[in-house]
């Protein structure tokens, strides 16, 4: 569970569901459901744009909302479905880092467009994050 930059708005994860509150946690409602997604981690970046990922399972999945949770979009990740997401960290709604393990190798990616495209920034042999 985590709250956005607006302390009244928060999200909680329940395996395959994203729950949302708009009254500081007094009441919660199901905001999004994705079967077998194993949602694990909420990454708040502001009021409008936030991210949810499943960590430690294959295939890795990352979801984004850019409209305060009215809709969620699953982002395409590197590795063609063979990767496990280790972590994600967005420093702004557009700029973020993604750590993945794909076929036994560790990769570090960066995005500057809200996860629409990812660029590998490490050498998997010399710097396997």
């Amino acid at each position: 569970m985590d709250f956005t930059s607006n302390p009244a708005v928060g999200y909680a994860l329940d395996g395959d569901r994203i729950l949302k509150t708009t009254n500081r946690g007094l009441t919660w409602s199901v905001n999004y459901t994705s079967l077998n997604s194993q949602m694990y981690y909420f990454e708040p970046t502001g009021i409008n744009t936030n991210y949810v990922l499943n960590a430690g399972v294959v295939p890795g999945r990352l979801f984004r909302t850019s409209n305060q949770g009215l809709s969620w979009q699953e982002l395409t990740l590197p590795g063609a479905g063979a990767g496990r997401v280790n972590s994600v960290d967005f420093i702004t709604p557009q700029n973020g880092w993604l750590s993945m393990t794909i076929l036994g190798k560790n990769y570090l990616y960066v995005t500057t467009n809200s996860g629409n495209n990812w660029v590998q920034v490490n050498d998997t042999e010399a710097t396997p994050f």
Side-chain angles (χ1 to χ4, degrees):
M1 174 176 44
D2 211 332
F3 284 79
T4 66
S5 57
N6 175 349
V9 178
Y11 295 88
L13 305 177
D14 180 18
D16 296 337
R17 300 182 307 167
I18 300 171
L19 308 172
K20 182 178 180 181
T21 183
T22 56
N23 58 10
R24 299 180 186 260
L26 292 175
T27 59
W28 293 86
S29 60
V30 175
N31 186 244
Y32 182 75
T33 301
S34 178
L35 296 178
N36 301 314
S37 63
Q38 301 177 27
M39 295 178 201
Y40 175 77
Y41 180 74
F42 177 73
E43 175 71 8
T45 62
I47 294 174
N48 292 318
T49 303
N50 295 288
Y51 297 85
V52 169
L53 74 116
N54 71 346
V57 296
V58 176
R61 298 175 76 182
L62 181 64
F63 302 88
R64 176 187 67 214
T65 183
S66 57
N67 56 14
Q68 300 182 29
L70 293 176
S71 63
W72 290 85
Q73 170 191 13
E74 184 170 356
L75 301 175
T76 301
L77 296 178
R84 179 184 75 222
V85 176
N86 300 316
S87 65
V88 67
D89 186 33
F90 279 82
I91 56 175
T92 68
Q94 299 81 23
N95 299 306
W97 301 85
L98 173 72
S99 169
M100 291 186 72
T101 300
I102 303 170
L103 301 174
K105 293 191 176 197
N106 296 314
Y107 295 81
L108 184 63
Y109 297 94
V110 67
T111 183
T112 57
N113 60 7
S114 302
N116 291 315
N117 300 97
W118 297 94
V119 176
Q120 183 180 340
V121 293
N122 74 313
D123 180 313
T124 60
E125 302 300 323
T127 55
F129 288 91

